[in-house]
Amino acid sequence: MPELPEVETVKRTLQMLVKGKTIASVSVELPRIIRLPGEPEEFARLLEGQTIRDVERRGKFLRFLLDDMVLVSHLRMEGRYGVYPAEAPRELHTHVLFHFTDGTDLRYKDVRQFGTMHLFRTGEDLVSPPLHKLGLEPLDPAFTLAAFTARIASRSTKIKPLLLNQEVIVGIGNIYADEALYTAGIHPARTADSLSPAELKRLHRAIVDTLADSVLAGGSSIKSYVNGQGEMGMFQHQLKAYGRKNEPCGHCGRPIEKTVLAGRGTHFCPHCQPEVTRRMKKLRRTTSRPTTD
């Protein structure tokens, strides 16, 4: 599934390709993608004549800002957008086509057919499902160490599943959770409330840096991801933990291990990311000493 860097890259590409274009009509070939009462005819009717004023991102969702509507799109596993001449043949698995007045189409393709599109009146999308409960944006200036710490520090949940929780922090999936935890030297099975202030600071910095670096590289093309121009991302060549089972750790040279945590494949270095730290061992020894009267 595309994560924050991939969706951010698609957003930036679409800003260049479709911003300012006006929708003449819409063809919906797979109605279940559209999440709107009266779909898909009402969906097409409401979009006719609307101009795309901008394209934004909220977590892993794209937001197409129109004249008085907002189209919220989730790519799920393998959804992708592309701009084509209107006369170009339709490729297999093309499910929604936005026909512009300039003779081009914005086409949505999805082999797995898991993607979704919601349509709202302007101002309603951020207070309605699926966006209304989303958490902190890790590349937003408001994602400060204080905000991050306040959101997770007191929780007894294991840190990796917590990072994957979109109601806590948005945009982080399996790839970037593994990478950020590796960079911060934190075992993915540690609970959030076991992290020291220094560890929280390292993790906060690792999340921001990892996601920002991936955006600069155009995201990670692990399977089928490409941006709106059909270009692959390059960050997969910089991955230090994810997908590197049995390869040497870049710090200590020992093999990267893979386990399953909360149902997700998880990569880590057991030496550089110890499950029990020296501080925790010392605390356990202190609290286990017998008291004397």
Side-chain angles (χ1 to χ4, degrees), residues 32-80:
R32 71 167 177 268
I33 287 178
I34 309 304
R35 307 298 172 88
L36 180 77
E39 55 185 352
E41 293 80 9
E42 182 69 1
F43 178 82
R45 185 189 69 79
L46 289 170
L47 288 175
E48 288 181 10
Q50 294 277 327
T51 297
I52 299 177
R53 301 301 178 182
D54 206 351
V55 184
E56 296 183 352
R57 178 191 56 77
R58 180 71 173 103
K60 300 179 185 180
F61 291 86
L62 292 167
R63 299 174 66 237
F64 294 83
L65 308 186
L66 310 170
D67 291 328
D68 55 15
M69 308 290 294
V70 179
L71 172 63
V72 176
S73 173
H74 199 303
L75 303 175
R76 298 297 176 188
M77 300 297 292
E78 296 191 30
R80 63 175 68 173

mmCIF file of all heavy atoms in Angstrom, residues 32-80:
data_model
loop_
_atom_site.group_PDB
_atom_site.id
_atom_site.type_symbol
_atom_site.label_atom_id
_atom_site.label_comp_id
_atom_site.label_asym_id
_atom_site.label_seq_id
_atom_site.Cartn_x
_atom_site.Cartn_y
_atom_site.Cartn_z
ATOM 1 N N ARG A 32 -18.463 0.237 -7.320
ATOM 2 C CA ARG A 32 -18.212 0.058 -5.888
ATOM 3 C C ARG A 32 -17.057 0.918 -5.371
ATOM 4 O O ARG A 32 -16.915 1.078 -4.154
ATOM 5 C CB ARG A 32 -17.971 -1.416 -5.559
ATOM 6 C CG ARG A 32 -16.665 -2.000 -6.039
ATOM 7 C CD ARG A 32 -16.457 -3.362 -5.350
ATOM 8 N NE ARG A 32 -15.256 -4.035 -5.816
ATOM 9 C CZ ARG A 32 -15.230 -4.902 -6.823
ATOM 10 N NH1 ARG A 32 -16.342 -5.175 -7.474
ATOM 11 N NH2 ARG A 32 -14.103 -5.489 -7.177
ATOM 12 N N ILE A 33 -16.254 1.466 -6.263
ATOM 13 C CA ILE A 33 -15.196 2.380 -5.824
ATOM 14 C C ILE A 33 -15.790 3.682 -5.291
ATOM 15 O O ILE A 33 -15.241 4.303 -4.387
ATOM 16 C CB ILE A 33 -14.221 2.665 -6.988
ATOM 17 C CG1 ILE A 33 -13.357 1.435 -7.253
ATOM 18 C CG2 ILE A 33 -13.335 3.878 -6.705
ATOM 19 C CD1 ILE A 33 -12.396 1.584 -8.414
ATOM 20 N N ILE A 34 -16.948 4.073 -5.805
ATOM 21 C CA ILE A 34 -17.577 5.342 -5.439
ATOM 22 C C ILE A 34 -18.386 5.165 -4.159
ATOM 23 O O ILE A 34 -19.273 4.326 -4.084
ATOM 24 C CB ILE A 34 -18.491 5.851 -6.575
ATOM 25 C CG1 ILE A 34 -17.745 5.855 -7.912
ATOM 26 C CG2 ILE A 34 -19.035 7.233 -6.238
ATOM 27 C CD1 ILE A 34 -16.465 6.640 -7.920
ATOM 28 N N ARG A 35 -18.095 5.983 -3.155
ATOM 29 C CA ARG A 35 -18.808 5.917 -1.883
ATOM 30 C C ARG A 35 -19.668 7.171 -1.742
ATOM 31 O O ARG A 35 -19.264 8.165 -1.153
ATOM 32 C CB ARG A 35 -17.819 5.807 -0.716
ATOM 33 C CG ARG A 35 -16.814 4.672 -0.860
ATOM 34 C CD ARG A 35 -17.506 3.315 -0.893
ATOM 35 N NE ARG A 35 -16.588 2.241 -1.218
ATOM 36 C CZ ARG A 35 -15.861 1.564 -0.324
ATOM 37 N NH1 ARG A 35 -15.931 1.897 0.956
ATOM 38 N NH2 ARG A 35 -15.069 0.583 -0.703
ATOM 39 N N LEU A 36 -20.857 7.126 -2.346
ATOM 40 C CA LEU A 36 -21.742 8.281 -2.363
ATOM 41 C C LEU A 36 -23.160 7.807 -2.618
ATOM 42 O O LEU A 36 -23.386 6.987 -3.510
ATOM 43 C CB LEU A 36 -21.317 9.267 -3.472
ATOM 44 C CG LEU A 36 -22.145 10.534 -3.634
ATOM 45 C CD1 LEU A 36 -21.788 11.535 -2.541
ATOM 46 C CD2 LEU A 36 -21.909 11.164 -5.004
ATOM 47 N N PRO A 37 -24.142 8.329 -1.850
ATOM 48 C CA PRO A 37 -25.539 7.979 -2.136
ATOM 49 C C PRO A 37 -25.902 8.344 -3.574
ATOM 50 O O PRO A 37 -25.531 9.407 -4.067
ATOM 51 C CB PRO A 37 -26.315 8.839 -1.130
ATOM 52 C CG PRO A 37 -25.350 9.103 -0.020
ATOM 53 C CD PRO A 37 -24.006 9.204 -0.676
ATOM 54 N N GLY A 38 -26.603 7.449 -4.249
ATOM 55 C CA GLY A 38 -26.975 7.685 -5.631
ATOM 56 C C GLY A 38 -25.849 7.400 -6.608
ATOM 57 O O GLY A 38 -25.900 7.816 -7.757
ATOM 58 N N GLU A 39 -24.835 6.696 -6.124
ATOM 59 C CA GLU A 39 -23.684 6.408 -6.984
ATOM 60 C C GLU A 39 -24.092 5.486 -8.129
ATOM 61 O O GLU A 39 -25.020 4.700 -7.972
ATOM 62 C CB GLU A 39 -22.576 5.768 -6.147
ATOM 63 C CG GLU A 39 -23.045 4.527 -5.392
ATOM 64 C CD GLU A 39 -21.993 3.957 -4.469
ATOM 65 O OE1 GLU A 39 -20.838 4.396 -4.474
ATOM 66 O OE2 GLU A 39 -22.354 3.045 -3.737
ATOM 67 N N PRO A 40 -23.359 5.495 -9.274
ATOM 68 C CA PRO A 40 -22.319 6.457 -9.636
ATOM 69 C C PRO A 40 -22.863 7.654 -10.424
ATOM 70 O O PRO A 40 -22.126 8.575 -10.714
ATOM 71 C CB PRO A 40 -21.398 5.626 -10.506
ATOM 72 C CG PRO A 40 -22.314 4.678 -11.212
ATOM 73 C CD PRO A 40 -23.433 4.378 -10.253
ATOM 74 N N GLU A 41 -24.171 7.597 -10.761
ATOM 75 C CA GLU A 41 -24.731 8.663 -11.587
ATOM 76 C C GLU A 41 -24.663 10.008 -10.885
ATOM 77 O O GLU A 41 -24.324 11.034 -11.500
ATOM 78 C CB GLU A 41 -26.184 8.322 -11.952
ATOM 79 C CG GLU A 41 -26.344 7.121 -12.872
ATOM 80 C CD GLU A 41 -26.244 5.791 -12.137
ATOM 81 O OE1 GLU A 41 -26.223 5.810 -10.889
ATOM 82 O OE2 GLU A 41 -26.198 4.749 -12.826
ATOM 83 N N GLU A 42 -24.971 10.033 -9.591
ATOM 84 C CA GLU A 42 -24.930 11.285 -8.841
ATOM 85 C C GLU A 42 -23.507 11.801 -8.716
ATOM 86 O O GLU A 42 -23.257 13.010 -8.780
ATOM 87 C CB GLU A 42 -25.540 11.074 -7.448
ATOM 88 C CG GLU A 42 -25.595 12.305 -6.579
ATOM 89 C CD GLU A 42 -26.603 13.348 -7.079
ATOM 90 O OE1 GLU A 42 -27.275 13.111 -8.093
ATOM 91 O OE2 GLU A 42 -26.692 14.406 -6.436
ATOM 92 N N PHE A 43 -22.562 10.882 -8.552
ATOM 93 C CA PHE A 43 -21.143 11.233 -8.489
ATOM 94 C C PHE A 43 -20.729 11.962 -9.765
ATOM 95 O O PHE A 43 -20.117 13.039 -9.725
ATOM 96 C CB PHE A 43 -20.328 9.948 -8.315
ATOM 97 C CG PHE A 43 -18.840 10.126 -8.284
ATOM 98 C CD1 PHE A 43 -18.192 10.511 -7.122
ATOM 99 C CD2 PHE A 43 -18.069 9.872 -9.418
ATOM 100 C CE1 PHE A 43 -16.807 10.655 -7.081
ATOM 101 C CE2 PHE A 43 -16.693 10.008 -9.392
ATOM 102 C CZ PHE A 43 -16.060 10.397 -8.220
ATOM 103 N N ALA A 44 -21.079 11.409 -10.917
ATOM 104 C CA ALA A 44 -20.729 12.014 -12.206
ATOM 105 C C ALA A 44 -21.431 13.354 -12.392
ATOM 106 O O ALA A 44 -20.830 14.326 -12.867
ATOM 107 C CB ALA A 44 -21.078 11.060 -13.343
ATOM 108 N N ARG A 45 -22.697 13.423 -12.001
ATOM 109 C CA ARG A 45 -23.455 14.668 -12.179
ATOM 110 C C ARG A 45 -22.863 15.810 -11.368
ATOM 111 O O ARG A 45 -22.718 16.938 -11.855
ATOM 112 C CB ARG A 45 -24.915 14.451 -11.780
ATOM 113 C CG ARG A 45 -25.817 15.651 -12.053
ATOM 114 C CD ARG A 45 -27.192 15.475 -11.441
ATOM 115 N NE ARG A 45 -27.146 15.525 -9.979
ATOM 116 C CZ ARG A 45 -27.057 16.648 -9.275
ATOM 117 N NH1 ARG A 45 -26.994 17.830 -9.888
ATOM 118 N NH2 ARG A 45 -27.056 16.609 -7.957
ATOM 119 N N LEU A 46 -22.508 15.523 -10.121
ATOM 120 C CA LEU A 46 -21.978 16.565 -9.242
ATOM 121 C C LEU A 46 -20.623 17.090 -9.707
ATOM 122 O O LEU A 46 -20.258 18.233 -9.432
ATOM 123 C CB LEU A 46 -21.865 16.036 -7.808
ATOM 124 C CG LEU A 46 -23.185 15.815 -7.072
ATOM 125 C CD1 LEU A 46 -22.945 15.066 -5.755
ATOM 126 C CD2 LEU A 46 -23.883 17.150 -6.804
ATOM 127 N N LEU A 47 -19.866 16.266 -10.415
ATOM 128 C CA LEU A 47 -18.526 16.664 -10.840
ATOM 129 C C LEU A 47 -18.505 17.396 -12.178
ATOM 130 O O LEU A 47 -17.515 18.053 -12.508
ATOM 131 C CB LEU A 47 -17.609 15.436 -10.911
ATOM 132 C CG LEU A 47 -17.186 14.850 -9.556
ATOM 133 C CD1 LEU A 47 -16.393 13.570 -9.754
ATOM 134 C CD2 LEU A 47 -16.361 15.869 -8.772
ATOM 135 N N GLU A 48 -19.562 17.300 -12.939
ATOM 136 C CA GLU A 48 -19.593 17.963 -14.247
ATOM 137 C C GLU A 48 -19.461 19.474 -14.086
ATOM 138 O O GLU A 48 -20.173 20.094 -13.302
ATOM 139 C CB GLU A 48 -20.896 17.629 -14.971
ATOM 140 C CG GLU A 48 -20.959 16.208 -15.483
ATOM 141 C CD GLU A 48 -22.254 15.919 -16.212
ATOM 142 O OE1 GLU A 48 -23.015 16.881 -16.474
ATOM 143 O OE2 GLU A 48 -22.513 14.743 -16.522
ATOM 144 N N GLY A 49 -18.514 20.057 -14.821
ATOM 145 C CA GLY A 49 -18.297 21.499 -14.781
ATOM 146 C C GLY A 49 -17.400 21.979 -13.654
ATOM 147 O O GLY A 49 -17.074 23.171 -13.583
ATOM 148 N N GLN A 50 -16.984 21.067 -12.769
ATOM 149 C CA GLN A 50 -16.109 21.450 -11.663
ATOM 150 C C GLN A 50 -14.660 21.574 -12.150
ATOM 151 O O GLN A 50 -14.182 20.754 -12.937
ATOM 152 C CB GLN A 50 -16.169 20.399 -10.546
ATOM 153 C CG GLN A 50 -17.513 20.291 -9.859
ATOM 154 C CD GLN A 50 -17.697 21.345 -8.768
ATOM 155 O OE1 GLN A 50 -16.736 21.741 -8.106
ATOM 156 N NE2 GLN A 50 -18.926 21.796 -8.586
ATOM 157 N N THR A 51 -13.958 22.585 -11.669
ATOM 158 C CA THR A 51 -12.549 22.785 -11.993
ATOM 159 C C THR A 51 -11.684 22.352 -10.808
ATOM 160 O O THR A 51 -12.026 22.650 -9.652
ATOM 161 C CB THR A 51 -12.252 24.263 -12.320
ATOM 162 O OG1 THR A 51 -13.002 24.623 -13.483
ATOM 163 C CG2 THR A 51 -10.772 24.492 -12.593
ATOM 164 N N ILE A 52 -10.603 21.639 -11.098
ATOM 165 C CA ILE A 52 -9.682 21.215 -10.034
ATOM 166 C C ILE A 52 -8.814 22.407 -9.651
ATOM 167 O O ILE A 52 -7.962 22.851 -10.428
ATOM 168 C CB ILE A 52 -8.806 20.032 -10.496
ATOM 169 C CG1 ILE A 52 -9.688 18.827 -10.848
ATOM 170 C CG2 ILE A 52 -7.798 19.660 -9.408
ATOM 171 C CD1 ILE A 52 -8.921 17.627 -11.378
ATOM 172 N N ARG A 53 -9.051 22.943 -8.469
ATOM 173 C CA ARG A 53 -8.323 24.121 -8.001
ATOM 174 C C ARG A 53 -6.987 23.760 -7.364
ATOM 175 O O ARG A 53 -6.040 24.537 -7.412
ATOM 176 C CB ARG A 53 -9.191 24.900 -7.006
ATOM 177 C CG ARG A 53 -10.527 25.370 -7.586
ATOM 178 C CD ARG A 53 -10.315 26.275 -8.786
ATOM 179 N NE ARG A 53 -11.592 26.704 -9.402
ATOM 180 C CZ ARG A 53 -11.668 27.464 -10.481
ATOM 181 N NH1 ARG A 53 -10.565 27.857 -11.092
ATOM 182 N NH2 ARG A 53 -12.835 27.793 -10.977
ATOM 183 N N ASP A 54 -6.910 22.586 -6.767
ATOM 184 C CA ASP A 54 -5.651 22.141 -6.169
ATOM 185 C C ASP A 54 -5.786 20.665 -5.815
ATOM 186 O O ASP A 54 -6.888 20.096 -5.835
ATOM 187 C CB ASP A 54 -5.327 22.946 -4.910
ATOM 188 C CG ASP A 54 -3.825 22.998 -4.605
ATOM 189 O OD1 ASP A 54 -3.064 22.259 -5.276
ATOM 190 O OD2 ASP A 54 -3.422 23.752 -3.716
ATOM 191 N N VAL A 55 -4.656 20.042 -5.513
ATOM 192 C CA VAL A 55 -4.634 18.658 -5.030
ATOM 193 C C VAL A 55 -3.814 18.662 -3.738
ATOM 194 O O VAL A 55 -2.684 19.145 -3.715
ATOM 195 C CB VAL A 55 -4.001 17.690 -6.048
ATOM 196 C CG1 VAL A 55 -4.083 16.244 -5.534
ATOM 197 C CG2 VAL A 55 -4.682 17.810 -7.402
ATOM 198 N N GLU A 56 -4.390 18.146 -2.671
ATOM 199 C CA GLU A 56 -3.722 18.093 -1.376
ATOM 200 C C GLU A 56 -3.698 16.654 -0.870
ATOM 201 O O GLU A 56 -4.252 15.741 -1.491
ATOM 202 C CB GLU A 56 -4.428 19.001 -0.367
ATOM 203 C CG GLU A 56 -4.376 20.476 -0.741
ATOM 204 C CD GLU A 56 -5.013 21.380 0.306
ATOM 205 O OE1 GLU A 56 -5.629 20.849 1.261
ATOM 206 O OE2 GLU A 56 -4.889 22.618 0.174
ATOM 207 N N ARG A 57 -3.013 16.461 0.252
ATOM 208 C CA ARG A 57 -2.912 15.135 0.868
ATOM 209 C C ARG A 57 -3.263 15.231 2.339
ATOM 210 O O ARG A 57 -2.883 16.185 3.009
ATOM 211 C CB ARG A 57 -1.485 14.588 0.730
ATOM 212 C CG ARG A 57 -1.284 13.203 1.392
ATOM 213 C CD ARG A 57 0.180 12.829 1.460
ATOM 214 N NE ARG A 57 0.980 13.824 2.150
ATOM 215 C CZ ARG A 57 1.016 13.982 3.479
ATOM 216 N NH1 ARG A 57 0.278 13.214 4.268
ATOM 217 N NH2 ARG A 57 1.779 14.923 4.019
ATOM 218 N N ARG A 58 -3.980 14.245 2.831
ATOM 219 C CA ARG A 58 -4.218 14.093 4.279
ATOM 220 C C ARG A 58 -3.929 12.652 4.616
ATOM 221 O O ARG A 58 -4.665 11.744 4.222
ATOM 222 C CB ARG A 58 -5.654 14.454 4.646
ATOM 223 C CG ARG A 58 -5.978 14.320 6.138
ATOM 224 C CD ARG A 58 -5.302 15.402 6.964
ATOM 225 N NE ARG A 58 -5.742 15.361 8.357
ATOM 226 C CZ ARG A 58 -5.011 14.852 9.369
ATOM 227 N NH1 ARG A 58 -3.802 14.348 9.113
ATOM 228 N NH2 ARG A 58 -5.469 14.852 10.596
ATOM 229 N N GLY A 59 -2.798 12.420 5.300
ATOM 230 C CA GLY A 59 -2.379 11.050 5.557
ATOM 231 C C GLY A 59 -2.110 10.335 4.246
ATOM 232 O O GLY A 59 -1.350 10.808 3.408
ATOM 233 N N LYS A 60 -2.756 9.204 4.042
ATOM 234 C CA LYS A 60 -2.603 8.433 2.810
ATOM 235 C C LYS A 60 -3.706 8.741 1.803
ATOM 236 O O LYS A 60 -3.846 8.045 0.796
ATOM 237 C CB LYS A 60 -2.604 6.930 3.127
ATOM 238 C CG LYS A 60 -1.482 6.485 4.062
ATOM 239 C CD LYS A 60 -1.567 4.990 4.339
ATOM 240 C CE LYS A 60 -0.540 4.543 5.359
ATOM 241 N NZ LYS A 60 -0.610 3.088 5.625
ATOM 242 N N PHE A 61 -4.501 9.778 2.065
ATOM 243 C CA PHE A 61 -5.606 10.155 1.180
ATOM 244 C C PHE A 61 -5.223 11.348 0.308
ATOM 245 O O PHE A 61 -4.543 12.280 0.760
ATOM 246 C CB PHE A 61 -6.839 10.552 1.998
ATOM 247 C CG PHE A 61 -7.492 9.423 2.737
ATOM 248 C CD1 PHE A 61 -7.053 9.040 3.997
ATOM 249 C CD2 PHE A 61 -8.570 8.725 2.182
ATOM 250 C CE1 PHE A 61 -7.662 8.015 4.696
ATOM 251 C CE2 PHE A 61 -9.188 7.700 2.867
ATOM 252 C CZ PHE A 61 -8.730 7.332 4.126
ATOM 253 N N LEU A 62 -5.690 11.350 -0.928
ATOM 254 C CA LEU A 62 -5.599 12.505 -1.802
ATOM 255 C C LEU A 62 -6.894 13.313 -1.689
ATOM 256 O O LEU A 62 -7.983 12.739 -1.587
ATOM 257 C CB LEU A 62 -5.417 12.070 -3.257
ATOM 258 C CG LEU A 62 -4.094 11.400 -3.609
ATOM 259 C CD1 LEU A 62 -4.183 10.744 -4.981
ATOM 260 C CD2 LEU A 62 -2.944 12.400 -3.572
ATOM 261 N N ARG A 63 -6.755 14.646 -1.714
ATOM 262 C CA ARG A 63 -7.915 15.541 -1.687
ATOM 263 C C ARG A 63 -7.884 16.418 -2.930
ATOM 264 O O ARG A 63 -6.993 17.246 -3.080
ATOM 265 C CB ARG A 63 -7.923 16.402 -0.429
ATOM 266 C CG ARG A 63 -8.002 15.642 0.878
ATOM 267 C CD ARG A 63 -7.863 16.578 2.070
ATOM 268 N NE ARG A 63 -8.982 17.495 2.177
ATOM 269 C CZ ARG A 63 -8.867 18.825 2.190
ATOM 270 N NH1 ARG A 63 -7.679 19.390 2.056
ATOM 271 N NH2 ARG A 63 -9.929 19.603 2.304
ATOM 272 N N PHE A 64 -8.830 16.229 -3.830
ATOM 273 C CA PHE A 64 -8.962 17.064 -5.008
ATOM 274 C C PHE A 64 -9.907 18.214 -4.647
ATOM 275 O O PHE A 64 -11.105 17.987 -4.428
ATOM 276 C CB PHE A 64 -9.524 16.274 -6.184
ATOM 277 C CG PHE A 64 -8.614 15.189 -6.704
ATOM 278 C CD1 PHE A 64 -8.565 13.934 -6.094
ATOM 279 C CD2 PHE A 64 -7.793 15.424 -7.800
ATOM 280 C CE1 PHE A 64 -7.728 12.934 -6.566
ATOM 281 C CE2 PHE A 64 -6.948 14.432 -8.288
ATOM 282 C CZ PHE A 64 -6.910 13.187 -7.667
ATOM 283 N N LEU A 65 -9.379 19.429 -4.573
ATOM 284 C CA LEU A 65 -10.183 20.594 -4.211
ATOM 285 C C LEU A 65 -10.793 21.175 -5.471
ATOM 286 O O LEU A 65 -10.084 21.662 -6.355
ATOM 287 C CB LEU A 65 -9.316 21.626 -3.502
ATOM 288 C CG LEU A 65 -8.491 21.126 -2.306
ATOM 289 C CD1 LEU A 65 -7.795 22.294 -1.628
ATOM 290 C CD2 LEU A 65 -9.352 20.365 -1.316
ATOM 291 N N LEU A 66 -12.115 21.134 -5.562
ATOM 292 C CA LEU A 66 -12.847 21.598 -6.741
ATOM 293 C C LEU A 66 -13.527 22.934 -6.432
ATOM 294 O O LEU A 66 -13.252 23.542 -5.390
ATOM 295 C CB LEU A 66 -13.848 20.527 -7.151
ATOM 296 C CG LEU A 66 -13.252 19.101 -7.273
ATOM 297 C CD1 LEU A 66 -14.354 18.078 -7.452
ATOM 298 C CD2 LEU A 66 -12.271 19.037 -8.432
ATOM 299 N N ASP A 67 -14.391 23.392 -7.311
ATOM 300 C CA ASP A 67 -15.046 24.687 -7.099
ATOM 301 C C ASP A 67 -15.800 24.724 -5.773
ATOM 302 O O ASP A 67 -15.608 25.635 -4.968
ATOM 303 C CB ASP A 67 -16.003 24.986 -8.252
ATOM 304 C CG ASP A 67 -15.255 25.250 -9.552
ATOM 305 O OD1 ASP A 67 -14.138 25.791 -9.492
ATOM 306 O OD2 ASP A 67 -15.790 24.912 -10.622
ATOM 307 N N ASP A 68 -16.692 23.763 -5.559
ATOM 308 C CA ASP A 68 -17.434 23.720 -4.302
ATOM 309 C C ASP A 68 -17.582 22.288 -3.793
ATOM 310 O O ASP A 68 -18.486 21.983 -3.022
ATOM 311 C CB ASP A 68 -18.814 24.384 -4.450
ATOM 312 C CG ASP A 68 -19.642 23.802 -5.585
ATOM 313 O OD1 ASP A 68 -19.292 22.710 -6.080
ATOM 314 O OD2 ASP A 68 -20.641 24.426 -5.975
ATOM 315 N N MET A 69 -16.692 21.405 -4.255
ATOM 316 C CA MET A 69 -16.677 20.012 -3.832
ATOM 317 C C MET A 69 -15.254 19.604 -3.492
ATOM 318 O O MET A 69 -14.287 20.240 -3.912
ATOM 319 C CB MET A 69 -17.207 19.085 -4.948
ATOM 320 C CG MET A 69 -18.555 19.450 -5.539
ATOM 321 S SD MET A 69 -19.934 19.180 -4.409
ATOM 322 C CE MET A 69 -19.911 17.399 -4.253
ATOM 323 N N VAL A 70 -15.135 18.517 -2.732
ATOM 324 C CA VAL A 70 -13.828 17.910 -2.443
ATOM 325 C C VAL A 70 -13.946 16.415 -2.712
ATOM 326 O O VAL A 70 -14.816 15.736 -2.147
ATOM 327 C CB VAL A 70 -13.394 18.133 -0.984
ATOM 328 C CG1 VAL A 70 -12.039 17.456 -0.715
ATOM 329 C CG2 VAL A 70 -13.287 19.623 -0.668
ATOM 330 N N LEU A 71 -13.083 15.924 -3.584
ATOM 331 C CA LEU A 71 -13.027 14.489 -3.885
ATOM 332 C C LEU A 71 -11.903 13.892 -3.050
ATOM 333 O O LEU A 71 -10.747 14.305 -3.152
ATOM 334 C CB LEU A 71 -12.762 14.263 -5.365
ATOM 335 C CG LEU A 71 -12.488 12.818 -5.810
ATOM 336 C CD1 LEU A 71 -13.702 11.933 -5.553
ATOM 337 C CD2 LEU A 71 -12.087 12.766 -7.280
ATOM 338 N N VAL A 72 -12.223 12.919 -2.206
ATOM 339 C CA VAL A 72 -11.249 12.252 -1.337
ATOM 340 C C VAL A 72 -10.997 10.856 -1.892
ATOM 341 O O VAL A 72 -11.922 10.048 -2.020
ATOM 342 C CB VAL A 72 -11.766 12.170 0.116
ATOM 343 C CG1 VAL A 72 -10.781 11.397 0.987
ATOM 344 C CG2 VAL A 72 -11.983 13.569 0.678
ATOM 345 N N SER A 73 -9.747 10.577 -2.218
ATOM 346 C CA SER A 73 -9.400 9.319 -2.881
ATOM 347 C C SER A 73 -8.323 8.577 -2.104
ATOM 348 O O SER A 73 -7.321 9.167 -1.693
ATOM 349 C CB SER A 73 -8.895 9.618 -4.303
ATOM 350 O OG SER A 73 -8.396 8.448 -4.928
ATOM 351 N N HIS A 74 -8.540 7.288 -1.900
ATOM 352 C CA HIS A 74 -7.542 6.416 -1.271
ATOM 353 C C HIS A 74 -7.117 5.370 -2.291
ATOM 354 O O HIS A 74 -7.942 4.676 -2.867
ATOM 355 C CB HIS A 74 -8.116 5.741 -0.034
ATOM 356 C CG HIS A 74 -7.058 5.213 0.900
ATOM 357 N ND1 HIS A 74 -6.100 4.308 0.511
ATOM 358 C CD2 HIS A 74 -6.801 5.468 2.211
ATOM 359 C CE1 HIS A 74 -5.305 4.018 1.541
ATOM 360 N NE2 HIS A 74 -5.710 4.722 2.575
ATOM 361 N N LEU A 75 -5.814 5.242 -2.495
ATOM 362 C CA LEU A 75 -5.282 4.328 -3.504
ATOM 363 C C LEU A 75 -5.275 2.868 -3.048
ATOM 364 O O LEU A 75 -5.149 1.961 -3.876
ATOM 365 C CB LEU A 75 -3.849 4.738 -3.878
ATOM 366 C CG LEU A 75 -3.687 6.165 -4.386
ATOM 367 C CD1 LEU A 75 -2.208 6.474 -4.607
ATOM 368 C CD2 LEU A 75 -4.473 6.384 -5.663
ATOM 369 N N ARG A 76 -5.384 2.655 -1.736
ATOM 370 C CA ARG A 76 -5.297 1.297 -1.172
ATOM 371 C C ARG A 76 -4.053 0.570 -1.653
ATOM 372 O O ARG A 76 -2.970 1.107 -1.618
ATOM 373 C CB ARG A 76 -6.571 0.500 -1.492
ATOM 374 C CG ARG A 76 -7.821 1.107 -0.904
ATOM 375 C CD ARG A 76 -7.819 1.145 0.605
ATOM 376 N NE ARG A 76 -8.984 1.824 1.130
ATOM 377 C CZ ARG A 76 -9.166 2.130 2.419
ATOM 378 N NH1 ARG A 76 -8.243 1.788 3.305
ATOM 379 N NH2 ARG A 76 -10.235 2.765 2.816
ATOM 380 N N MET A 77 -4.212 -0.666 -2.147
ATOM 381 C CA MET A 77 -3.044 -1.486 -2.448
ATOM 382 C C MET A 77 -2.326 -1.060 -3.729
ATOM 383 O O MET A 77 -1.115 -0.879 -3.745
ATOM 384 C CB MET A 77 -3.439 -2.960 -2.552
ATOM 385 C CG MET A 77 -4.047 -3.534 -1.280
ATOM 386 S SD MET A 77 -2.904 -3.515 0.116
ATOM 387 C CE MET A 77 -1.705 -4.726 -0.415
ATOM 388 N N GLU A 78 -3.059 -0.904 -4.824
ATOM 389 C CA GLU A 78 -2.398 -0.687 -6.111
ATOM 390 C C GLU A 78 -3.096 0.339 -6.995
ATOM 391 O O GLU A 78 -2.922 0.326 -8.218
ATOM 392 C CB GLU A 78 -2.251 -2.015 -6.864
ATOM 393 C CG GLU A 78 -1.356 -3.015 -6.156
ATOM 394 C CD GLU A 78 -1.002 -4.214 -7.036
ATOM 395 O OE1 GLU A 78 -0.932 -4.040 -8.268
ATOM 396 O OE2 GLU A 78 -0.806 -5.300 -6.486
ATOM 397 N N GLY A 79 -3.873 1.241 -6.399
ATOM 398 C CA GLY A 79 -4.514 2.267 -7.207
ATOM 399 C C GLY A 79 -3.497 3.257 -7.750
ATOM 400 O O GLY A 79 -2.487 3.548 -7.108
ATOM 401 N N ARG A 80 -3.756 3.780 -8.936
ATOM 402 C CA ARG A 80 -2.849 4.770 -9.533
ATOM 403 C C ARG A 80 -3.614 5.669 -10.495
ATOM 404 O O ARG A 80 -4.605 5.268 -11.101
ATOM 405 C CB ARG A 80 -1.691 4.092 -10.258
ATOM 406 C CG ARG A 80 -2.105 3.221 -11.433
ATOM 407 C CD ARG A 80 -0.905 2.664 -12.193
ATOM 408 N NE ARG A 80 -0.146 1.704 -11.412
ATOM 409 C CZ ARG A 80 0.862 0.985 -11.896
ATOM 410 N NH1 ARG A 80 1.232 1.155 -13.160
ATOM 411 N NH2 ARG A 80 1.500 0.111 -11.139
#
